[in-house]
Amino acid sequence: MQQLKAKTLEMRTPQATKTAVLVIGGAEDKVHGREILRTFVARAGASKAYITIVPSASREPAIIGGRYIRLFEEMGAQKVEILDIREREQCENPQIKASLENCTGVFLTGGDQLRLCGVLADTPAMDLIRQRVRAGQLTLAGTSAGAAVMGHHMIAGGGSGETPNRSLVDMATGLGFIPEVIVDQHFHNRNRMGRLISAIAAHPDRLGIGIDEDTCAVFERDGWLQVVGKGSVTIVDPTELTHTNEPHVSANEPLNVHNLRLHILSYGDRFHLYQRTVLPAVHRLPSYGDNVS
């Protein structure tokens, strides 16, 4: 009976595809287990990984890029380089194009998501990254600001810890790798539930994804996302929303949002982006020799 149950759980578990999109809530562990960064390197090819770091969101791209170079080299990646893109014109550089055509992983660092979009949006470099991600030829990761840009609609800034209202969140256009979602990062660490709900009230055709620090939502090409890391991923699902006053109130008035569905996912939990279903982590089943109280 136990073996049958274990087999059933195994069959329900979606199998990982080779490449993925890793959306990281920021402040990922760079010192101890480094599980999230190791997951990225593994999905980018492990010992054959060719990783390009894009630190365009940062005010200190050489410093932050250099740190990730050291980390990924220590993890065994075959080749790691920085694409220090600071101006849109650089996105037409043949060397940058060659790097993006041949790499197996692209890592978008933290910083300012508006700066990152200002440099990359609607450029040949961006088109190439998006094309290769969609074709399953490239593993993409973004942390903090690099996570915020993943949706078509992007949280560019705003407040925290307040009642949901229209003035709580500033929206902009993201890079659209996963256009169905609106991502907020440093989520519970900076008390950002109110602003994610405010964003979803304005865009109820999207799915809200709030990601804690040192936590990652790994988006597979088959539609599943899986949680890796120490915190949680919060899903704000407006599929069954029945009412919001968002279009009719002033910027500072409280919002009402009726019939939202909320999921809090932790390590190993899965959520299907299109079916909107949750699959709990498969924990080790007790064997006959275990003492079960």
Side-chain angles (χ1 to χ4, degrees):
M1 185 65 183
Q2 291 287 350
Q3 290 177 338
L4 179 61
K5 187 174 181 182
K7 183 66 176 176
T8 302
L9 286 170
E10 182 182 341
M11 291 171 63
R12 289 175 57 215
T13 304
Q15 299 302 304
T17 49
K18 183 179 179 182
T19 59
V21 177
L22 281 68
V23 188
I24 307 166
E28 70 280 358
D29 176 16
K30 302 177 184 68
V31 178
H32 302 294
R34 305 172 179 176
E35 181 178 11
I36 293 170
L37 297 178
R38 289 185 185 281
T39 299
F40 168 65
V41 172
R43 299 302 288 268
S47 62
K48 296 181 180 179
Y50 171 7
I51 294 171
T52 60
I53 300 161
V54 181
S56 303
S58 175
R59 286 194 170 96
E60 298 179 322
I63 294 174
I64 193 168
R67 186 174 191 190
Y68 281 109
I69 279 183
R70 291 189 296 275
L71 286 167
F72 295 143
E73 286 180 343
E74 287 174 8
M75 293 173 191
Q78 186 176 69
K79 182 177 180 179
V80 189
E81 63 186 11
I82 299 175
L83 294 189
D84 190 357
I85 305 172
R86 306 189 191 196
E87 303 293 337
R88 292 178 60 83
E89 293 74 19
Q90 294 175 259
C91 293
E92 299 181 20
N93 185 309
Q95 290 181 323
I96 287 176
K97 180 183 178 184
S99 177
L100 294 175
E101 283 177 339
N102 293 293
C103 68
T104 60
V106 169
F107 191 91
L108 307 175
T109 72
D112 182 341
Q113 51 263 47
L114 284 173
R115 182 185 296 115
L116 180 58
C117 288
V119 171
L120 287 185
D122 300 318
T123 63
M126 187 68 254
D127 292 342
L128 183 54
I129 296 171
R130 185 181 291 112
Q131 176 186 342
R132 295 196 64 214
V133 168
R134 288 178 177 173
Q137 300 169 346
L138 182 70
T139 289
L140 174 70
T143 184
S144 191
V149 302
M150 291 292 178
H152 172 74
H153 297 292
M154 175 180 77
I155 295 177
S160 62
E162 298 178 31
T163 300
N165 66 80
R166 287 169 53 194
S167 68
L168 189 59
V169 61
D170 300 321
M171 301 298 296
T173 301
L175 296 179
F177 293 111
I178 312 171
E180 302 87 351
V181 305
I182 297 175
V183 175
D184 210 348
Q185 4 76 349
H186 305 280
F187 191 64
H188 282 114
N189 312 81
R190 300 186 186 178
N191 200 5
R192 288 177 166 172
M193 178 69 84
R195 83 173 190 178
L196 182 58
I197 290 175
S198 302
I200 291 300
H203 301 282
D205 58 334
R206 309 293 157 151
L207 187 74
I209 310 283
I211 308 177
D212 293 352
E213 293 178 356
D214 196 19
T215 309
C216 175
V218 181
F219 285 81
E220 307 287 358
R221 295 181 64 225
D222 58 7
W224 287 98
L225 72 82
Q226 180 172 358
V227 180
V228 176
K230 295 180 180 177
S232 62
V233 172
T234 300
I235 308 288
V236 178
D237 182 0
T239 302
E240 299 177 8
L241 184 143
T242 55
H243 172 77
T244 178
N245 63 355
E246 198 274 344
H248 311 294
V249 296
S250 66
N252 293 302
E253 288 185 78
L255 293 175
N256 61 36
V257 191
H258 298 172
N259 213 40
L260 277 181
R261 177 174 290 183
L262 183 72
H263 303 288
I264 310 294
L265 311 181
S266 60
Y267 191 94
D269 289 344
R270 295 172 171 87
F271 181 85
H272 200 280
L273 190 59
Y274 309 113
Q275 299 172 5
R276 304 292 170 94
T277 53
V278 181
L279 189 61
V282 179
H283 298 289
R284 187 179 71 90
L285 295 170
S287 66
Y288 290 116
D290 291 341
N291 294 320
V292 180
S293 57

